[in-house]
Amino acid sequence: MSNNLSDRINSLAPSATLEMAAKARELRAAGKDIIGLSLGEPDFNTPDYIKEAAIKAVNDDYNSYTPVDGYVELKDAIITKFKRDNNIAYDYSQIVVSTGAKQALYNVAQVCLNKGDEVLLPCPYWVSYSDIVKLADGVPVEIETSIENDFKMTPAQLEAAITPKTKMLWYSSPCNPSGSIYSKEELRALADVLKKHPQIIVVSDEIYEHINYGVTAHASMAEFEDMYDRTVTVNGVAKAFAMTGWRIGYIGAPTYIARACNKLQGQVTSGANCIAQRAVITALEEPVSRIQYMVDKFKERRTLILGLLNDIEGFTCNEPEGAFYVYPDVTFFFGKTLNGTKINNASDFSMYLLENANVATVTGDAFGNGNSIRISYAASEEQIIEAIKRIKAAIQ
């Protein structure tokens, strides 16, 4: 009965990462031993000191509706975090707390875009950017990058992509899916291009900020005085704090954008969960060093998985500087037939690995770059070793 549904929903693509995870669950239910390396979810539990803050909130009888844009105490913690970690000064009117960073991004698109407005997306980009833009009647404009340049957009590429219809630029750093990080100098070079186009609003998605392996220091576009009033900084606690299910994200933004997001959110979901908000206050107020053990473990796994993949003919890897993904180029396999299956593209290859190696990955087609697949190393060393062993056996 899809003809009874809106054109909007019928034209919307399902999330490729969630779709692959669902397929993996189906195969597990059918008795298959599937190793899931598709979802971007830490395999750690939320730290005890954060859970204890949530328990205290329950015992302190936090159970009422929350302010649409977040508790004042949480806003205080976010403001302090932005100043401490990013050298960005925001006030209460510029902060909006949402039910996950995904909702924060959706809000921004809805309040900033009109029909036909173009949004520049350096490829690869997080899987939901394109469809979030389309839901706001915007037009995604993909900017191709390459593994040789660590999947980072150059100023010349940015300049060439800008048209009179360009309204926004969205990017993530560290990047999901590539793990690439823009240095402060690289962001400054991009900002110098944007200075010539004052109508363009920048969305800087920094959800993986703290999962950084120390090669390139984290930098934020809003640090620059001439970009502060036109940049929306998006962050949250899902990844670095192992709080994916707590669903808390937030923005620091120009006041007019933040107030618009607050207005929209008030008509859609209202305020985010009260207990989760109280827990996040503690998460942000405590020293970042308290989550370093997770980052250290991810770094060990990065070394492990790169060593294993580089031993397989046909996988071309760069070294990600952050997040917890590798994004190998697999074009070597395009046009080949593996065990009777013709591999035409990354989607074919990812599905082949699921069906023949029992390993779930995500096609690069979902991220705007069809030459690669995304493999998460947010898994145990044993799972990583077994998964790559299976992949190697399935393609030889």
Side-chain angles (χ1 to χ4, degrees), residues 331-356:
T331 53
F332 173 86
F333 299 99
F334 295 178
K336 290 182 167 55
T337 299
L338 302 175
N339 294 323
T341 300
K342 181 71 176 292
I343 306 298
N344 296 303
N345 49 46
S347 296
D348 288 347
F349 190 63
S350 183
M351 188 56 64
Y352 174 83
L353 295 182
L354 179 64
E355 294 175 347
N356 292 270

Side-chain angles (χ1 to χ4, degrees), residues 132-154:
I132 287 174
V133 168
K134 291 176 184 176
L135 281 171
D137 290 328
V139 179
V141 176
E142 297 181 348
I143 301 175
E144 185 176 348
T145 66
S146 68
I147 193 169
E148 291 78 19
N149 198 40
D150 285 328
F151 299 108
K152 289 191 277 192
M153 172 181 62
T154 66

Side-chain angles (χ1 to χ4, degrees), residues 68-70 93-99 101-113 168 170 201 203 232-234 250-271:
V68 171
D69 52 356
S93 70
Q94 296 176 281
I95 305 297
V96 180
V97 177
S98 299
T99 305
K102 183 180 282 189
Q103 184 186 22
L105 289 162
Y106 178 85
N107 287 347
V108 171
Q110 289 293 321
V111 306
C112 288
L113 294 174
M168 304 185 83
W170 288 30
I201 299 166
V203 171
V232 179
T233 308
V234 180
Y250 54 87
I251 62 169
T255 299
Y256 77 98
I257 293 178
R259 293 305 87 203
C261 290
N262 181 61
K263 180 180 179 182
L264 173 66
Q265 190 164 290
Q267 293 288 12
V268 181
T269 57
S270 297

Side-chain angles (χ1 to χ4, degrees), residues 41-55 237-247 275-276 278-280 282-284 290-291 293-294:
E41 183 167 39
D43 60 322
F44 297 97
N45 291 320
T46 302
D48 287 343
Y49 66 95
I50 299 174
K51 292 190 286 188
E52 287 163 6
I55 293 168
V237 294
K239 309 299 183 177
F241 295 88
M243 297 179 70
T244 52
W246 296 70
R247 309 308 303 135
I275 304 304
R278 304 311 298 186
V280 172
T282 295
L284 296 182
R290 297 198 70 171
I291 58 172
Y293 68 94
M294 290 187 272

Side-chain angles (χ1 to χ4, degrees), residues 115 220 257 285 364:
K115 187 175 181 63
S220 300
I257 293 178
E285 287 182 342

Side-chain angles (χ1 to χ4, degrees), residues 261-322:
C261 290
N262 181 61
K263 180 180 179 182
L264 173 66
Q265 190 164 290
Q267 293 288 12
V268 181
T269 57
S270 297
N273 177 277
C274 59
I275 304 304
Q277 286 198 54
R278 304 311 298 186
V280 172
I281 294 170
T282 295
L284 296 182
E285 287 182 342
E286 288 292 306
V288 177
S289 59
R290 297 198 70 171
I291 58 172
Q292 186 62 38
Y293 68 94
M294 290 187 272
V295 180
D296 291 341
K297 183 56 70 172
F298 285 137
K299 187 175 182 179
E300 290 175 11
R301 295 170 179 176
R302 179 191 64 163
T303 300
L304 172 64
I305 197 167
L306 284 174
L308 294 170
L309 287 174
N310 286 332
D311 193 43
I312 301 177
E313 184 183 14
F315 280 78
T316 302
C317 302
N318 67 324
E319 184 169 278
E321 296 183 357

